[in-house]
Amino acid sequence: MRVNKITIAALAVVAGLSLTACQNDDDATGRSDPPAASTPSSSNGGSGSGGSDRGGGKDSGAKDSGAGEGTSAGTGSDEGGEIGKCRTDELEVTATDATVGGDTDGTVAVEFTNGGGRDCAISGYAGVDLKTDSGTLSAERTGEQSPSVVLEDGESVSFAVTYPVNDSGGSGVRVTGLVVTPPDETKSVTLDWPGAASLPVTDGSGTPVRVGPIGSAGQGG
């Protein structure tokens, strides 16, 4: 009986140890379950993270795109707010005789009319060349200050071209045309010359042909 009791006791101890081991295994399994459960989640999270990165990239792209659109709009607005220079193709150019009786020099007024459909800015000196039967004669600048003028669509501004009157009695130098280049432009417009038919022949010591700044029509040289 004692042997049996010891055996039974031993079996009970073994069973207890087995039970404890099972419980420990269960506990271990229980502890490992969350990581095991989290592993797919982590894996999904990883691809989700990649997706999130891609999504984040898309979101960022969307935000960046939105920001870019805002910037573009802002830039467009800024550009729209700035007044661009008047271009030759936007200007109607005309020339008229503006000589006043009794003046020692003749005057031609050249007018720029803005027909570009937008406001534009113009200032400085236009290029002026007289075409003659002896070649091209470039007008000299008077050196006056030029205000900056903003021409609204349809508005005009003028400047003066002055030249010596041929009162020598001779045929002089015949003027055949007027070439005008707006300030800061390279494209020119050729007009009929509305002034006196000829200039006096000089040795270079006479009065030159002069051009005044934008806004100087009627001021002479």
Side-chain angles (χ1 to χ4, degrees):
M1 287 296 293
R2 186 174 182 185
V3 173
N4 288 339
K5 287 181 181 178
I6 291 172
T7 301
I8 290 168
L11 289 174
V13 170
V14 171
L17 291 174
S18 297
L19 180 59
T20 302
C22 289
Q23 287 175 346
N24 289 339
D25 289 342
D26 289 342
D27 289 343
T29 303
R31 284 194 300 272
S32 64
D33 282 345
S38 67
T39 300
S41 178
S42 183
S43 172
N44 290 337
S47 61
S49 175
S52 174
D53 287 344
R54 288 193 295 273
K58 290 179 184 175
D59 290 342
S60 295
K63 288 178 183 176
D64 289 343
S65 171
E69 289 172 6
T71 301
S72 295
T75 302
S77 221
D78 290 342
E79 287 176 356
E82 293 177 358
I83 305 297
K85 292 180 180 179
C86 297
R87 300 303 181 190
T88 302
D89 291 337
E90 299 176 314
L91 297 172
E92 180 185 350
V93 188
T94 56
T96 56
D97 183 10
T99 304
V100 177
D103 284 355
T104 55
D105 292 331
T107 302
V108 166
V110 179
E111 183 176 77
F112 290 140
T113 301
N114 180 12
R118 67 177 182 95
D119 296 352
C120 65
I122 189 168
S123 64
Y125 285 79
V128 172
D129 297 300
L130 271 58
K131 297 171 72 175
T132 77
D133 57 359
S134 298
T136 300
L137 177 64
S138 295
E140 298 179 6
R141 295 180 177 184
T142 61
E144 298 170 78
Q145 288 288 331
S146 171
S148 181
V149 177
V150 174
L151 284 182
E152 293 183 4
D153 188 34
E155 286 189 342
S156 303
V157 68
S158 302
F159 64 90
V161 178
T162 59
Y163 61 93
V165 175
N166 180 21
D167 54 8
S168 65
S171 59
V173 178
R174 189 166 61 87
V175 183
T176 60
L178 173 65
V179 181
V180 178
T181 308
D184 301 315
E185 280 287 87
T186 56
K187 187 174 182 180
S188 303
V189 175
T190 301
L191 307 169
D192 291 333
W193 173 249
S198 64
L199 304 175
V201 178
T202 68
D203 57 4
S205 60
T207 302
V209 176
R210 291 184 178 141
V211 54
I214 297 300
S216 66
Q219 294 179 13

